[in-house]
């Protein structure tokens, strides 16, 4: 054994490993699931995860190098949009807190896309104030028995598994009485009902948990440590930076700019002014994301990640609003109000009315823009917290 | 190099340069001394020539000037990092006029001509100062300036709002002659310089009047047009870097104040109404930094994308700097409205800079042109 096989691999070694991998598995002819499974086994799924868990213990920044390298060899996985919760949230949390058995059981099918995940966090009484969740988990022998009601659960209708935050101790302050579980969505007592959105369709659902039994082996992290575990999930939810640069006019601004170019009849002075302002803002946001990507690749992650969700939410809303105004009479129409349950979120594939409405969710899902501003002010800028009434009270005694 | 490959980070060399400039300015140019200069000096004396000399000794005045022309042979990226620091200190030095606009025009000539080379060498060494004689609001892409006429080698005309003319030894003058556009050099004492009382006192302006002044032509025709355009583009990019520095000072100072100022028995920074405002400013600053880095890299690489990158930088960063400094005043309350608190120096710098080298509106119109988003009929 050479010492270098013990030390975490550097970028050059990872490139060599990707080249060797692709020599064995031709991306052009190998089935995607099979290719991804082999990639997982080779430690080239998430290189920053430990060996045997889809990774090689490399610095996180080098994941970009690996993704870019696979792309260079012509491998870009498709149909991954419906997997964001598994890939972006469940996997890093399981990697950080999971037992070896849990990692072995769950990480690979998340990576290949064979198992879809959803997030059972929010409840009618606990959204921004996530630590207030009231879904109960009561110990019964080697199982936990879960009772509660979750809402706004995206893609629960497709998911086999869920990450679940539940209350194991109502007698201590809210942050301390939570425990994190992995929940089988096919278990008896799990009921998923579509929750129709303003767009007409139902990406999200209500989930009723009625005496659902979860074995203790599916608890992630310690009893009462659910809040700490959930922090890892939430941090990953808000930072999703791709491995490659986004092209100029890549998002919604491209759609509206092309519309402006192709339809001189729609142009007015006021809308021109607004279009240019948004073009500038969108380009600045794109470059900010690109800079963040370069920072990550250089191993200098900055706190700017929390800025990107905030700015993209606002931009999506303003740009999609402008598109309706620009379209005039067509802006009064809507492509389809059918109550459907889509397979994946799709902002660009639908009509302009859908885009306008769906973008309204961007400043609510994954932490509202208000909450994000507070997080930036307190955690990035170090401003003092507001005085709080709920910190030392037992959860059961909180006003509600 | 394609636009997406432009490096948006700071190199180690840039970080070292920045640190040495910051250190010098902390000693030699704290805000108290800037405030003192603008409070007690006439416009012509506000500029700190001694500080300029010390900056020259750090070798930061000719960063993007090729070594063969007497410069440091670095790039606009390094110059941009220095500009950020100068903006952070609202330093009263002729950076924009001499090290950016005049130097930018002369470098663009790409000439081996002795007179130009000697001047560039002196400018980089801080031995002499120069400026480009155009009204400061002139935007890139707005055509060759027509205020000055050349009759043979004699120049006549009046140009308002010329930056750093009062401290200049040499004037670089775009003028229209019988052979079309030309670029001329003449000693500043051949012109009449009328000081202007400027909104930003740290950046003195003058009206330049030429009445048959004898000058040397260093470029004619397209070469002269290109040199002026290059100077304005260089100016737009490096001014944006300076604006970023100005805004960052105002932001940092405001966040510190929110932690320290107590009202209603708590630090005012614990009030959410204020937290959210500074969080929004922080997001804007993060974006401004990316935009400035992009423009500086495009300038350094002489990218095809430069006109767009420069217009974007001015369209975006100008407004951010004004917004951040305006918010800084508001969040400081009464003390922020006083002469003795330095935040007004930053507000004045930011607002003046937003009118300089084209307003955001002008730059948006230019972007529309460059990316094919034509106006309504
Ligand atoms: C499209 C979509 C998909 C979603 N998918 C999921 C999912 O898959 N899984 C899941 O668990 N959840 C999901 N959610 C839920 C989402 O996380 C919550 O809706 C969100 O956190 C806000 O909580 P709330 O709805 O209870 O609003 P509230 O918390 O009641 O907020 C109401 C308003 O008050 C503001 N507010 C609340 N507290 C504060 C404060 N301290 N300071 C300032 N303002 C405050 C909020 O910003 C908001 O404007 C989804 C939501 C949407 C819209």
């Amino acid at each position: 054994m050479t010492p270098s096989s013990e030390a975490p691999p550097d970028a050059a070694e990872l490139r060599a490993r990707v080249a060797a991998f692709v020599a064995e598995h031709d991306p052009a002819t190998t089935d995607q699931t099979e290719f991804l499974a082999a990639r997982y086994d080779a430690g080239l799924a998430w290189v920053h995860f430990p060996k045997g868990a889809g990774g090689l213990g490399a610095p996180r920044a080098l994941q970009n190098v690996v993704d870019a390298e696979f792309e260079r060899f012509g491998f870009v996985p498709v149909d991954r949009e419906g997997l964001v919760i598994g890939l972006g949230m469940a996997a890093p949390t399981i990697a950080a807190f999971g037992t070896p058995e849990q990692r072995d059981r769950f990480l690979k099918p998340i990576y290949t896309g064979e198992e879809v995940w959803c997030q059972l966090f929010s409840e009618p009484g606990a959204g921004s104030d996530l630590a207030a969740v009231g879904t109960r988990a009561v110990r019964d022998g080697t199982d936990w028995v879960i009772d509660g009601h979750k809402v706004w659960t995206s893609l629960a209708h497709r998911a086999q598994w869920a990450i679940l935050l539940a209350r194991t101790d109502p007698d201590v302050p809210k942050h301390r009485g939570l425990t994190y579980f992995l929940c089988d969505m096919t278990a008896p007592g799990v009921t998923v009902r579509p929750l129709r959105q303003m767009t007409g369709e139902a990406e999200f659902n209500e989930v009723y948990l009625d005496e659902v039994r979860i074995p203790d082996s599916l608890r992630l992290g310690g009893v009462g440590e659910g809040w700490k575990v959930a922090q890892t999930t939430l941090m990953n939810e808000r930072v999703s930076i791709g491995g490659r640069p986004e092209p100029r006019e890549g998002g919604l601004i491209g759609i509206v700019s092309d519309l402006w170019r192709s339809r001189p009849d729609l142009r007015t002075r006021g809308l021109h002014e607004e279009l240019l302002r948004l073009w500038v803002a969108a380009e600045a946001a794109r470059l900010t994301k690109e800079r963040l990507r370069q920072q990550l690749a250089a191993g200098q992650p900055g706190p700017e990640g929390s800025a990107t969700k905030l700015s993209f939410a606002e931009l999506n809303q303003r740009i999609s609003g402008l598109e309706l105004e620009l379209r005039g009479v067509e802006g009064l129409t809507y492509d389809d109000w059918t109550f459907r349950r889509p397979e994946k979120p799709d902002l660009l594939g639908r009509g302009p009315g859908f885009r306008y409405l769906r973008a309204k969710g961007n400043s609510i899902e994954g932490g509202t823009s208000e909450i994000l501003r507070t997080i930036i002010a307190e955690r990035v800028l170090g401003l003092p917290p507001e005085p709080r009434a709920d910190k030392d009270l037992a959860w059961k005694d909180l006003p509600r | 190099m394609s636009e997406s490959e432009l490096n948006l980070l700071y190199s180690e060399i840039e970080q070292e340069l920045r640190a040495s400039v910051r250190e010098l300015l902390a000693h030699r140019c704290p805000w108290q001394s800037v405030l003192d200069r603008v409070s007690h000096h006439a416009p012509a004396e506000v500029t700190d020539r001694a500080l300029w000399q010390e900056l020259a000794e750090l070798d930061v005045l000719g960063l993007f000037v090729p070594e063969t022309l007497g410069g440091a042979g670095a790039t606009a990226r390094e110059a941009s990092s220095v500009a950020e620091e100068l903006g952070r200190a609202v330093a009263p030095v002729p950076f924009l006029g001499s090290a950016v606009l005049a130097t930018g025009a002369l470098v663009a000539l790409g000439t081996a001509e002795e007179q130009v080379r000697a001047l560039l060498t002196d400018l980089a060494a801080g031995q002499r100062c120069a400026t480009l004689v155009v009204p400061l609001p002139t935007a890139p892409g707005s055509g060759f300036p027509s205020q000055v006429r050349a009759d043979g080698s004699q120049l006549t005309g009046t140009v308002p709002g010329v930056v750093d003319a009062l401290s200049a030894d040499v004037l670089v003058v775009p003028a229209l002659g019988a052979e079309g556009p030309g670029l001329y050099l003449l000693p500043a004492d051949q012109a009449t310089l009328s000081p202007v009382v400027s909104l930003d006192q740290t950046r003195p302006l003058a009206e330049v009047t030429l009445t048959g002044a004898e000058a040397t032509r260093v470029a004619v025709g397209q070469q002269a047009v290109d040199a002026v355009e290059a100077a304005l583009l260089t100016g737009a990019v490096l001014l944006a870097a300076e604006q970023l520095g100005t805004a960052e000072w105002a932001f940092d100072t405001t966040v510190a104040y929110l932690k320290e100022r107590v009202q209603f028995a708590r630090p005012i920074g614990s009030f959410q109404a204020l937290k959210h405002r500074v969080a929004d400013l922080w997001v804007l600053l993060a974006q401004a930094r990316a935009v400035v880095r992009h423009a500086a890299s495009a300038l350094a690489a002489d990218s095809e994308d430069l006109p767009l990158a420069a217009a974007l930088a001015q369209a975006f960063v100008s407004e951010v700097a004004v917004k951040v400094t305006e918010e800084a005043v508001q969040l400081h309350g009464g003390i922020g409205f006083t002469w003795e608190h330095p935040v007004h120096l930053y507000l004045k710098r930011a607002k003046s800079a937003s009118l300089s080298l084209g307003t955001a509106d002008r730059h948006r119109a230019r972007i529309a042109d460059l990316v094919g988003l034509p106006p309504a009929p």
Side-chain angles (χ1 to χ4, degrees), chain A residues 119 121-122 127-128 152-154 204 358 364-365 368 370, chain B residues 272:
Chain A
Q119 179 190 21
F121 278 19
S122 304
S128 298
W152 307 306
T153 317
S154 303
F204 56 31
R358 182 60 186 83
I364 301 170
E365 57 197 324
T368 69
E370 288 75 21
Chain B
Q272 195 181 70

Side-chain angles (χ1 to χ4, degrees), chain B residues 209-295:
Chain B
T209 305
L210 299 160
T211 38
E214 193 63 38
T216 314
R217 193 172 74 189
V218 290
V220 67
Q222 195 57 41
Q223 198 193 11
V225 173
D226 291 346
V228 172
E229 179 65 9
L232 294 172
L233 281 171
T234 304
V237 172
L238 296 181
L239 181 62
E242 189 203 273
Q243 289 168 304
L244 172 62
T246 303
E248 281 188 332
W249 181 92
F251 179 77
D252 292 349
T253 304
T254 302
V255 171
Y257 189 67
L258 294 186
K259 291 178 187 173
E260 156 199 315
R261 169 74 173 164
V262 173
Q263 288 289 278
F264 301 95
R266 49 197 264 214
I268 56 172
S270 66
F271 291 106
Q272 195 181 70
L274 306 192
K275 275 185 190 164
H276 286 193
R277 280 164 74 166
V278 290
D280 283 336
L281 300 181
W282 179 79
V283 171
L284 288 174
L285 277 174
Q287 296 180 326
R289 195 170 308 115
V291 166
V292 164
R293 286 277 83 191
H294 175 252

Side-chain angles (χ1 to χ4, degrees), chain A residues 245 248-249 257 260-261 264 267-269 272-273 275-277 279-281 283-288 290-291 294-295 298 300 303-304 306-307 310-311 370 373-374 376-378 380-387, chain B residues 3-10 251 255 258-259 266-267 269-272 275-276 278-280 282-283 286-287 289-291 293-294 305 308 312 315-316 319 361 364-365 367-368 371-377:
Chain A
R248 181 173 284 156
E249 290 193 12
S257 297
W260 183 272
R261 293 183 183 110
R267 296 175 191 162
T268 73
R269 274 188 214 184
H272 189 240
E273 171 71 24
L275 173 62
L276 292 178
R277 283 185 178 277
W279 197 97
V280 166
E283 180 64 358
R286 181 187 75 92
L287 290 171
T288 308
E290 172 58 14
R291 180 157 194 271
Q294 293 183 8
Q295 282 176 303
Q300 324 159 350
E304 287 86 350
S306 31
L310 203 54
S311 46
E370 288 75 21
R373 287 188 181 96
T374 301
I376 290 171
E378 293 181 2
V380 182
L381 303 176
L383 291 176
E386 292 207 67
Chain B
E3 57 92 13
S4 58
E5 285 164 52
L6 295 175
N7 179 356
L8 305 181
L9 308 179
Y10 294 96
F251 179 77
V255 171
L258 294 186
K259 291 178 187 173
R266 49 197 264 214
S270 66
F271 291 106
Q272 195 181 70
K275 275 185 190 164
H276 286 193
V278 290
D280 283 336
W282 179 79
V283 171
Q287 296 180 326
R289 195 170 308 115
V291 166
R293 286 277 83 191
H294 175 252
D305 214 30
L308 182 58
L312 180 78
F316 190 77
E319 293 196 341
D361 180 55
R364 283 193 295 271
I367 289 170
V371 303
L373 295 170

Side-chain angles (χ1 to χ4, degrees), chain B residues 122-360:
Chain B
D122 283 358
L123 294 183
Q127 298 293 327
R128 286 191 280 169
C129 289
T131 195
L132 182 70
V133 181
V134 296
L136 189 52
T138 310
S142 53
F144 194 78
S146 60
Q147 290 91 352
V148 181
R149 311 235 139 230
D151 185 4
S153 59
Q154 296 185 336
L155 305 184
T156 300
T158 298
V159 186
V162 179
V163 69
D164 295 330
L166 295 172
S167 53
D169 305 293
V170 179
L171 300 179
V172 182
V173 187
L176 289 168
E179 290 168 68
L183 196 65
Y184 297 78
L185 300 183
L186 80 161
D189 58 15
Q190 300 299 299
T192 308
L193 305 177
S194 321
V196 172
V197 179
S198 50
L199 173 66
D200 172 8
Q201 292 172 279
T202 66
R203 180 159 275 162
L205 300 175
E207 184 173 84
V208 175
T209 305
L210 299 160
T211 38
E214 193 63 38
T216 314
R217 193 172 74 189
V218 290
V220 67
Q222 195 57 41
Q223 198 193 11
V225 173
D226 291 346
V228 172
E229 179 65 9
L232 294 172
L233 281 171
T234 304
V237 172
L238 296 181
L239 181 62
E242 189 203 273
Q243 289 168 304
L244 172 62
T246 303
E248 281 188 332
W249 181 92
F251 179 77
D252 292 349
T253 304
T254 302
V255 171
Y257 189 67
L258 294 186
K259 291 178 187 173
E260 156 199 315
R261 169 74 173 164
V262 173
Q263 288 289 278
F264 301 95
R266 49 197 264 214
I268 56 172
S270 66
F271 291 106
Q272 195 181 70
L274 306 192
K275 275 185 190 164
H276 286 193
R277 280 164 74 166
V278 290
D280 283 336
L281 300 181
W282 179 79
V283 171
L284 288 174
L285 277 174
Q287 296 180 326
R289 195 170 308 115
V291 166
V292 164
R293 286 277 83 191
H294 175 252
S297 295
L299 179 58
D302 200 14
S303 155
E304 276 179 18
D305 214 30
L306 174 59
L308 182 58
L312 180 78
Q314 278 302 309
F316 190 77
V317 183
S318 278
E319 293 196 341
V320 170
V322 170
K323 167 129 186 169
V324 172
T325 51
E326 287 181 349
E327 286 282 84
V329 170
Q330 176 65 20
L331 297 182
H332 274 85
I335 190 93
F337 192 67
T338 63
W339 185 265
E340 74 197 76
H341 191 282
V343 69
H344 65 92
L345 298 171
Y346 289 80
L347 174 70
K348 293 164 185 172
R349 172 64 72 88
K351 189 66 186 176
S352 301
S354 77
L355 315 181
S356 302
L357 304 175
T359 56

